[in-house]
Amino acid sequence: MNLESLNTPAALIDVARMNRNIERMQQRMNALGVNFRPHIKTSKCAPVVTAQLEAGARGITVSTLKEAEQFFALGVRDIVYAVGIAPAKLAQALALRRRGCDLKIVADSVACAQAIVAFGRQHGESFEVWIEVDVDGHRSGLDPEDEALLAVAATLVGGGMHLGGVMAHAGSSYEHDTHDALVRLAEQERSRSVRAAERIRSAGLSCQAVSIGSTPTALAAERLDGVTEVRAGVYVLFDLVMHNVGVSRLSELALSVLTTVIGHQREKGWAIVDAGWMAMSRDRGTQRQKRDFGYGLVCLENGEVLDGYLMSGANQEHGIVSRSGAPDHAIEQRLPIGTRLRILPNHACATGAQHPAYQAVKPDGSIETWPRFYGW
Amino acid sequence: MNLESLNTPAALIDVARMNRNIERMQQRMNALGVNFRPHIKTSKCAPVVTAQLEAGARGITVSTLKEAEQFFALGVRDIVYAVGIAPAKLAQALALRRRGCDLKIVADSVACAQAIVAFGRQHGESFEVWIEVDVDGHRSGLDPEDEALLAVAATLVGGGMHLGGVMAHAGSSYEHDTHDALVRLAEQERSRSVRAAERIRSAGLSCQAVSIGSTPTALAAERLDGVTEVRAGVYVLFDLVMHNVGVSRLSELALSVLTTVIGHQREKGWAIVDAGWMAMSRDRGTQRQKRDFGYGLVCLENGEVLDGYLMSGANQEHGIVSRSGAPDHAIEQRLPIGTRLRILPNHACATGAQHPAYQAVKPDGSIETWPRFYGW
């Protein structure tokens, strides 16, 4: 199978780029002296995760218990479920642990810790729990200075659970676009997480893991003293949002959507393609960044960027490709019906999720279908 | 199975509401004297489409050949693939027709018509082709006055293909929010489509079908003289975009996402839930409408709207629920950890696509799992 034999739309992974991305991140983590635990929510795809583990990753991060189920079935034991657990999901987490999965769960409130303790005691299970720390006001987690931090820790340990560590995610890193700002945020992520661990230890409790990470801060961090591991996800494929943040060159973007020109509106300078938001996702992550790429940046079938051409609009199975600025009234000749293009997406996690499989393009041009899963 | 036994997040269909929506649309179409051909891209779900057909629909509309394959396998023969066909997809279309599927394909250019003719002749197949007409500058199609309209028709007929009719979609209807504007657009969609058909007929060619439709124009049209059938999709579930357009009450929205509260940020007045954009989709269709609902409008588990509470932010598996205006600092007490909520989505087609199945909630409270498919 080769590129020409693929139906469109299709999600392509450039395997050489992906492998370079994996190598780059793993080497950084090795140099900084921390373990690396990739967040596999980006790909949900066995060959991708296998490549990450073979490069040196230790364990994985998941965003759903389904991901934990799927990768545990493939032999991955060491898994962090990095979303605060809903009490009703504890039965599923227990079942995984009883089957031998070294699953860590996350809490950031006394109420959640109490629910874990109650369920754990009822079933004779000492769950390993990591406490989520808020390092940048982005989303979840406890402020490292919050009294509740020690209350959660005491609730867990007093209730017979295993307090495994603290974890944080500097999700606000996506809002920056300078190296200096990312370096500062990475240090903030590090220092606040380490501070939370130290407060727990000062209270006489064990807190082994200090787990932090986001792709931009992981690539910007200059030192990681006190951190035991880093988590990152989207680095494996990169995307236009990461390009705008400043952590990847366009030539490092490993995911694209192959599409075919199916029509034109000459007056408007539009080419219509058979990839719409169903194939790209509705993610408009570059909308408020320094360069708005619409629904994606257009490349020729061979991957060469067609500078200035964007997917400027999308319906479910129609995309509108147009030139930024003045309309290209010769677009019908430039991109005739049947022309195949590749669209670089805003957000690799969102675009990949729209596709039942990736088409992995190897350096020799051959293609392998890599299934991915979805759902909960 | 009942609501309490479901894992979250889950996509719920309120079956009673869905059936009322189906009935409403079918009765309108009957009263207007036209056939109704639902666009099944909204649900991609057999029980939903079965209900539409049992209510009186004649044939279906699809947005991908995979949808055609799946529903032909379930016994639906009369199918319009309503996206201009890429020449490379003709082999798949041919295979469907050879297996007995009455598949109609769409073209809006001489180049595409020529490709169909060349492929059809090569394989001895007279494809049924409908010509797409542009009625509102929304996307694809030929202006009814465009010389190319007759050129496409002549190319198809001269090449031995079956010119089955014209089709149009007034997609700009989503941008309106008054009944009068929709009535005017519906009439524009009707009159321009009929005009295209008349021009083709005046040239001595047959043009049987005049197929138009979008949910808002279908519900606003006052007369459909000259039209043979109407297509619409999202009406079956409705959503917040349609509510803003003015064609559905909140109590008619049949799709919601069930989710669980997993944390809080008291200072900010946030509840964190386990439905993020993966469960809601990234669709922000209400962003530029008269009321921006964020990622969705929050309801209690029983479906009662929690007025003023929106999903104001979303990451992959985290949603942020907050009150519009002043933060609700009592949100931790109002919506404690473990509370289950339903979120009404912006766009039913996009939200449904994120889920491998709907959970169909019947009037007696029992639940049936209705699988849906995705991909191409």
Side-chain angles (χ1 to χ4, degrees):
Chain A
M1 203 160 65
N2 56 25
L3 210 53
E4 289 68 38
S5 62
L6 289 178
N7 284 326
T8 58
L12 308 182
I13 287 183
D14 182 315
V15 176
R17 291 184 181 190
M18 178 192 87
N19 285 333
R20 282 196 294 272
N21 296 341
I22 290 172
E23 196 59 27
R24 175 183 168 201
M25 180 65 84
Q26 188 63 51
Q27 282 181 359
R28 268 197 81 79
M29 296 302 107
N30 294 348
L32 288 162
V34 293
N35 286 337
F36 181 59
R37 182 189 292 280
H39 204 319
I40 62 80
K41 76 183 178 72
T42 300
S43 74
K44 305 197 187 191
C45 174
V48 175
V49 176
T50 300
Q52 291 169 307
L53 291 168
E54 283 175 355
R58 302 281 190 85
I60 63 171
T61 314
V62 299
S63 69
T64 64
L65 289 177
K66 180 165 185 172
E67 293 160 38
E69 300 272 6
Q70 297 274 323
F71 284 99
F72 177 63
L74 292 172
V76 183
R77 277 191 73 246
D78 180 358
I79 301 178
V80 171
Y81 170 45
V83 176
I85 194 155
K89 293 191 173 94
L90 286 165
Q92 196 183 349
L94 176 67
L96 269 162
R97 287 178 61 88
R98 290 273 159 91
R99 283 153 54 204
C101 180
D102 180 18
L103 179 74
K104 296 106 164 117
I105 59 177
V106 167
D108 72 350
S109 68
V110 171
C112 183
Q114 285 169 338
I116 294 168
V117 165
F119 187 92
R121 282 186 161 166
Q122 191 186 340
H123 295 88
E125 180 72 19
S126 176
F127 283 102
E128 177 169 351
V129 186
W130 291 12
I131 301 177
E132 187 166 4
V133 178
D134 180 11
V135 293
D136 60 352
H138 171 62
R139 186 171 68 199
S140 303
L142 290 164
D143 188 286
E145 308 301 338
D146 194 324
E147 273 319 297
L149 180 74
L150 298 184
V152 173
T155 302
L156 291 169
V157 175
M161 301 299 114
H162 173 205
L163 172 52
V166 293
M167 59 85 75
H169 166 62
S172 69
S173 59
Y174 283 42
E175 294 154 26
H176 294 289
D177 61 7
T178 68
H179 180 68
D180 287 353
L182 291 177
V183 169
R184 280 194 300 275
L185 183 60
E187 173 54 18
Q188 180 179 319
E189 185 183 33
R190 183 202 71 78
S191 63
R192 289 171 63 96
S193 301
V194 169
R195 167 69 181 153
E198 283 169 354
R199 284 193 67 218
I200 291 170
R201 291 172 192 143
S202 298
L205 302 173
S206 164
C207 181
Q208 198 181 339
V210 179
S211 173
I212 66 172
S214 75
T215 287
T217 52
L219 291 171
E222 294 182 340
R223 64 189 193 104
L224 290 174
D225 317 27
V227 168
T228 61
E229 66 166 37
V230 167
R231 308 178 324 281
V234 76
Y235 80 92
V236 70
L237 299 174
F238 283 127
D239 53 31
L240 292 170
V241 165
M242 286 297 111
H243 177 64
N244 270 336
V245 168
V247 294
S248 65
R249 294 189 296 270
L250 287 178
S251 60
E252 292 173 312
L253 271 54
L255 179 66
S256 60
V257 172
L258 186 68
T259 185
T260 304
V261 175
I262 58 170
H264 302 89
Q265 293 288 1
R266 196 183 313 168
E267 288 302 304
K268 296 171 177 163
W270 290 358
I272 311 286
V273 297
D274 69 351
W277 57 253
M278 191 62 85
M280 299 306 300
S281 90
R282 269 291 197 197
D283 200 295
R284 288 281 290 103
T286 59
Q287 188 173 22
R288 277 178 288 186
Q289 288 188 309
K290 62 183 168 190
R291 184 169 173 198
D292 182 351
F293 287 99
Y295 284 92
L297 178 60
V298 178
C299 306
L300 300 177
E301 185 174 16
N302 66 11
E304 188 188 322
V305 173
L306 203 54
D307 206 27
Y309 288 79
L310 302 179
M311 184 180 285
S312 52
N315 297 128
Q316 187 158 337
E317 298 288 347
H318 295 81
I320 297 173
V321 164
S322 63
R323 187 166 64 190
S324 304
D328 177 4
H329 296 300
I331 200 161
E332 210 168 340
Q333 288 73 49
R334 194 183 309 279
L335 305 175
I337 282 181
T339 304
R340 283 151 78 105
L341 302 168
R342 289 196 206 190
I343 316 290
L344 297 172
N346 287 320
H347 188 176
C349 309
T351 300
Q354 304 298 107
H355 295 261
Y358 298 109
Q359 305 299 334
V361 187
K362 299 191 167 174
D364 67 0
S366 68
I367 302 233
E368 225 175 70
T369 299
W370 289 358
R372 52 160 294 150
F373 59 91
Y374 76 140
W376 292 270
Chain B
M1 204 161 65
N2 55 25
L3 209 54
E4 290 67 39
S5 62
L6 290 178
N7 283 326
T8 57
L12 308 182
I13 287 183
D14 182 316
V15 176
R17 290 184 182 190
M18 179 191 87
N19 285 334
R20 282 196 294 273
N21 296 340
I22 291 173
E23 196 58 28
R24 175 183 168 200
M25 180 64 85
Q26 187 64 51
Q27 282 181 359
R28 267 198 80 79
M29 296 302 106
N30 294 347
L32 287 162
V34 293
N35 286 337
F36 181 58
R37 182 189 291 280
H39 204 319
I40 62 80
K41 76 182 178 71
T42 300
S43 74
K44 306 197 186 191
C45 175
V48 176
V49 175
T50 300
Q52 291 170 306
L53 292 168
E54 282 175 357
R58 302 281 190 86
I60 63 171
T61 314
V62 299
S63 69
T64 64
L65 288 177
K66 179 165 186 171
E67 293 160 39
E69 300 272 7
Q70 297 275 323
F71 283 98
F72 177 64
L74 292 173
V76 183
R77 277 191 73 245
D78 179 359
I79 301 178
V80 171
Y81 169 45
V83 177
I85 194 155
K89 292 192 173 93
L90 286 165
Q92 196 184 348
L94 175 66
L96 270 163
R97 288 178 61 88
R98 289 275 158 91
R99 283 153 53 204
C101 179
D102 179 18
L103 180 74
K104 297 108 163 112
I105 59 176
V106 167
D108 72 351
S109 68
V110 171
C112 182
Q114 286 170 337
I116 294 168
V117 165
F119 187 90
R121 282 187 160 164
Q122 192 187 338
H123 294 87
E125 181 71 19
S126 176
F127 283 102
E128 177 170 351
V129 186
W130 291 12
I131 301 178
E132 187 166 3
V133 178
D134 181 12
V135 292
D136 61 351
H138 172 62
R139 186 171 67 198
S140 303
L142 289 164
D143 188 287
E145 309 301 337
D146 194 324
E147 272 319 297
L149 179 74
L150 298 184
V152 172
T155 301
L156 291 169
V157 175
M161 301 300 113
H162 172 207
L163 173 52
V166 294
M167 59 84 76
H169 166 60
S172 69
S173 59
Y174 283 43
E175 295 154 25
H176 294 290
D177 59 8
T178 67
H179 179 67
D180 287 354
L182 291 177
V183 169
R184 280 194 299 275
L185 183 60
E187 173 54 19
Q188 180 179 318
E189 185 183 33
R190 183 202 72 77
S191 63
R192 288 171 65 96
S193 300
V194 169
R195 167 69 180 152
E198 283 169 353
R199 284 193 68 217
I200 291 169
R201 291 172 192 143
S202 298
L205 302 174
S206 164
C207 181
Q208 199 181 337
V210 178
S211 173
I212 66 171
S214 74
T215 287
T217 52
L219 292 171
E222 295 181 340
R223 63 186 193 107
L224 289 174
D225 316 26
V227 169
T228 61
E229 65 167 37
V230 167
R231 309 179 324 280
V234 76
Y235 80 93
V236 70
L237 299 174
F238 283 126
D239 52 31
L240 293 169
V241 165
M242 287 297 110
H243 177 65
N244 270 335
V245 168
V247 294
S248 65
R249 294 188 297 269
L250 286 178
S251 61
E252 292 173 311
L253 271 55
L255 179 66
S256 61
V257 173
L258 186 69
T259 185
T260 304
V261 174
I262 59 169
H264 302 90
Q265 293 289 359
R266 195 183 314 167
E267 289 302 304
K268 296 172 177 163
W270 290 357
I272 312 287
V273 297
D274 70 350
W277 57 253
M278 190 62 84
M280 299 306 300
S281 91
R282 269 293 198 197
D283 199 295
R284 289 282 289 102
T286 59
Q287 189 172 22
R288 276 178 288 186
Q289 289 187 308
K290 62 184 169 189
R291 183 168 173 199
D292 182 351
F293 287 99
Y295 283 91
L297 178 60
V298 178
C299 307
L300 300 177
E301 184 174 16
N302 67 9
E304 188 189 321
V305 173
L306 202 56
D307 205 29
Y309 287 79
L310 303 179
M311 184 181 285
S312 52
N315 297 129
Q316 187 158 338
E317 298 289 348
H318 295 81
I320 296 172
V321 163
S322 62
R323 186 167 63 190
S324 303
D328 177 5
H329 296 301
I331 200 162
E332 209 167 340
Q333 288 72 48
R334 193 182 310 280
L335 304 175
I337 282 181
T339 303
R340 284 151 77 104
L341 302 168
R342 288 196 205 189
I343 317 290
L344 298 172
N346 288 319
H347 189 176
C349 307
T351 300
Q354 304 296 108
H355 295 262
Y358 298 109
Q359 305 298 333
V361 187
K362 299 191 168 174
D364 66 0
S366 68
I367 302 232
E368 224 175 70
T369 299
W370 289 357
R372 52 161 293 150
F373 60 90
Y374 76 140
W376 293 269

